Amino acid sequence: MVRTRRAVAVVALMALALSGCGGNSAATTDAKQDEKAALDIWVRFAPGSPSEATAKALAAKFTEKTGIPTNVTASTDLETKLQQAAASKDLPDIVVNDVAQLGNLVSQGLVTQVNKSDIEGADKLSATAWDAATATDGKQYGVPFNAQTYAILIRKDWREKVGLAEPKSWDDLVALGKAFTTGDPDGNGKADTYGFDIPGTTTRGYISWYFSNFLFSDGAEFLTGSNGKFTPAVTSDNSVAALTWFQQLFCTDKVVMPGSVTQSTGDAIAAFQAGKAGIYLTGPYNLAAADKVGAGKVEVVPVPAGPNGGGKALALAEGENIYLMAGSPNQAGQRKFAGFAASVEGQTIGMNGDKEGNLVRLPVNTEVKMSDVRTDTRWQVFADVYTNSGKLAPRVPNWTPFRQTAADSFNSIVSNCSADPKAELTKLSDTFKQELEKQGVLG
């Protein structure tokens, strides 16, 4: 069902969405409440995808248990769709979206504050996941639903064919990439394979997402700070060293698949499936898709520590929150859905076993036992990385512009082999400083 929100509840939202103003004033304007009103639920997946089917199964079970109707809409561009919805005065009730979008949604007044006491089972959710739902004011504006981090998928059959061990260092990774590029690992007698499969597009900041794992693992940071104040850190020696190494993968070592600078994550997994490259740093959601190359041919290893990382490998910790959108005529239903989705039953449905179409990569509910839901032990590698080595992005009011400008910079550096990483990072640092000042958190 599609319902038109009361204009009084969304006129403020429209103004905020179009102007980008701060504050959360729209969240205080409520529509007339109806605890049986249908919930419109939006998720970031392609229509017709296995993940959309899982989202519909989760919503259907919620309806079965509560009697509250639901309507699931899948889209690959939630940000644009949300702005359009605000402008047309018809926001959904629930949006399942990246934790990195929290600051943006809060600053536009599109989401309501969450009181943990109102969410059934809130005390069972991990502290790290709740931290990812917390804004700079120390309040929660989402309910944790899905956690994820990054590790490296490797064609095990290729690695064994070229006679190398699992990589334990960055040098090992480069050596493996060279062997995959020059050693005919698929045995077809053609020079048609490569080492690294990288989603290097600037779209949604994908290359920044990817490279941040290596940045963190080499002891570097995007920003440093405390007490809500930050300064740029991308010109540190470690940052320059990490980005120089990354550029050399493309330009000196020549172990990256051609065309990677324009690849999205969808393109990258398709290339991996097609046997074009054998090293792909990604999230656990791609395990089932990667296995289309053949059973037992894909292994998972953590990102190794960089030469300047002090032996400590870190990986970007992310996930998704359930956002309770402002202006809903069924706020009680919003809270009930969030509690169900984060429950053991909801998480189990969302995990979808070992099959494609998972909504929940790593459960946020501490009472979920991974081995009870998934027999594939490779998932545990990701879970261990998240628990032991996961690192959240800096908690600035809005991380999105930092991620995007970093992606623009990183992409330009690997696209141009004559580019000077230090000079480019100096420019990025200036951009970061301007954005920190704009957001009122410059230290």
Side-chain angles (χ1 to χ4, degrees):
M1 302 179 186
V2 177
R3 303 179 309 282
T4 301
R5 303 279 186 256
R6 291 178 63 192
V8 68
V10 292
V11 166
L13 288 173
M14 180 179 68
L16 283 166
L18 295 179
S19 67
C21 296
N24 197 36
S25 59
T28 64
T29 308
D30 300 329
K32 182 178 180 181
Q33 294 299 293
D34 176 4
E35 293 190 7
K36 291 300 181 181
L39 297 177
D40 289 327
I41 302 167
W42 288 7
V43 295
R44 186 195 299 284
F45 294 106
S49 67
S51 295
E52 181 193 39
T54 305
K56 288 183 175 180
L58 177 68
K61 178 58 68 172
F62 169 76
T63 298
E64 178 185 316
K65 294 177 74 71
T66 64
I68 299 174
T70 55
N71 178 64
V72 174
T73 298
S75 171
T76 57
D77 189 2
L78 280 182
E79 283 71 48
T80 299
K81 191 172 177 64
L82 278 172
Q83 299 305 309
Q84 293 170 342
S88 63
K89 308 176 185 179
D90 190 24
L91 283 171
D93 302 275
I94 297 287
V95 170
V96 183
N97 204 355
D98 302 332
V99 299
Q101 288 295 320
L102 183 143
N104 191 33
L105 293 170
V106 171
S107 68
Q108 294 190 56
L110 300 181
V111 293
T112 61
Q113 182 185 336
V114 171
N115 295 315
K116 290 184 182 180
S117 59
D118 293 336
I119 306 300
E120 185 175 356
D123 59 327
K124 307 300 182 184
L125 309 187
S126 79
T128 301
W130 272 119
D131 193 38
T134 304
T136 52
D137 61 5
K139 300 175 183 178
Q140 287 75 43
Y141 291 92
V143 176
F145 175 62
N146 160 52
Q148 71 178 48
T149 189
Y150 296 83
I152 302 173
L153 307 188
I154 295 176
R155 284 292 299 266
K156 180 182 179 181
D157 55 330
W158 287 14
R159 180 180 61 76
E160 293 175 343
K161 172 73 162 45
V162 299
L164 293 178
E166 289 186 5
K168 303 295 184 182
S169 68
W170 287 17
D171 285 345
D172 290 347
L173 273 176
V174 173
L176 189 62
K178 288 180 177 179
F180 284 178
T181 304
T182 63
D184 190 25
D186 60 359
N188 69 355
K190 300 178 182 178
D192 58 356
T193 57
Y194 298 90
F196 288 76
D197 182 12
I198 295 176
T201 180
T202 60
T203 302
R204 299 195 68 234
Y206 278 132
I207 192 171
S208 177
W209 246 314
Y210 180 97
F211 176 64
S212 62
N213 295 274
F214 292 105
L215 186 79
F216 295 154
S217 289
D218 209 26
E221 303 272 1
F222 286 99
L223 305 170
T224 57
S226 60
N227 301 320
K229 296 294 183 180
F230 300 87
T231 56
V234 288
T235 56
S236 71
D237 290 344
N238 287 13
S239 297
V240 174
L243 191 56
T244 299
W245 176 84
F246 192 50
Q247 183 189 47
Q248 287 174 347
L249 293 181
F250 292 79
C251 300
T252 306
D253 302 316
K254 299 186 185 302
V255 292
V256 179
M257 188 180 69
S260 288
V261 292
T262 60
Q263 276 199 145
S264 67
T265 52
D267 299 327
I269 188 59
F272 191 88
Q273 290 172 325
K276 294 181 179 179
I279 302 171
Y280 181 27
L281 186 151
T282 186
Y285 47 85
N286 270 324
L287 274 175
D291 280 343
K292 289 184 178 180
V293 302
K297 293 184 177 182
V298 179
E299 61 190 354
V300 180
V301 302
V303 177
N308 305 298
K312 178 66 173 177
L314 298 174
L316 180 63
E318 290 192 310
E320 292 174 310
N321 293 323
I322 293 172
Y323 294 105
L324 315 185
M325 305 305 289
S328 172
N330 190 355
Q331 294 174 4
Q334 287 178 306
R335 294 190 291 269
K336 287 180 181 178
F337 179 81
F340 173 71
S343 71
V344 172
E345 183 177 9
Q347 295 276 282
T348 301
I349 294 171
M351 289 169 74
N352 202 35
D354 292 316
K355 302 184 293 294
E356 267 194 280
N358 56 76
L359 304 180
V360 176
R361 286 82 181 193
L362 304 175
V364 297
N365 192 306
T366 59
E367 295 190 339
V368 176
K369 187 177 179 181
M370 182 81 76
S371 60
D372 288 343
V373 184
R374 292 178 172 136
T375 59
D376 187 346
T377 58
R378 294 173 301 173
W379 281 91
Q380 193 62 46
V381 177
F382 288 97
D384 291 344
V385 168
Y386 183 84
T387 301
N388 301 322
S389 308
K391 180 179 176 63
L392 295 169
R395 193 189 288 172
V396 291
N398 186 1
W399 176 245
T400 301
F402 294 96
R403 186 183 64 211
Q404 188 59 55
T405 54
D408 295 340
S409 180
F410 299 159
N411 179 276
S412 69
I413 290 169
V414 300
S415 298
N416 178 9
C417 294
S418 63
D420 180 354
K422 185 171 184 177
E424 294 299 323
L425 288 176
T426 298
K427 295 177 185 177
L428 179 61
S429 180
D430 290 340
T431 303
F432 277 8
K433 183 177 180 180
Q434 293 170 14
E435 184 62 34
L436 288 169
E437 188 170 21
K438 178 181 177 182
Q439 296 191 21
V441 291
L442 178 64

